[in-house]
Amino acid sequence: MKVSIIPEKCIACGLCQTYSAAFDYHDDGIVKFADSNKLERMLPDTQANLLAVKSCPTKALRIDS
């Protein structure tokens, strides 16, 4: 699945990293992909990744078609 990050929506709550190791944070706490500084990435369609995206309270993570 293709996931996009919208950094300006991120409030650094930490839920995405709690659910999935695919996510990490910049020094300021804003979400990023664990192995990339890109804003879009293909991630495996796993329960952990889906939960991480769907649990974001500000919709800073989005699944793209």
Side-chain angles (χ1 to χ4, degrees):
M1 71 181 168
K2 184 177 175 183
V3 176
S4 294
I5 295 175
I6 307 165
E8 54 273 3
K9 288 187 173 186
C10 181
I11 59 170
C13 71
L15 283 177
C16 56
Q17 188 182 35
T18 299
Y19 293 123
S20 173
F23 300 98
D24 197 2
Y25 298 95
H26 291 281
D27 290 339
D28 60 2
I30 301 301
V31 66
K32 69 174 190 163
F33 292 113
D35 59 357
S36 171
N37 283 326
K38 295 181 180 180
L39 295 178
E40 294 181 347
R41 182 161 179 259
M42 293 299 292
L43 295 179
D45 190 9
T46 64
Q47 185 175 357
N49 289 338
L50 286 169
L51 186 59
V53 173
K54 290 182 178 186
S55 296
C56 181
T58 62
K59 308 295 184 222
L61 302 173
R62 181 180 69 208
I63 297 172
D64 295 325
S65 300

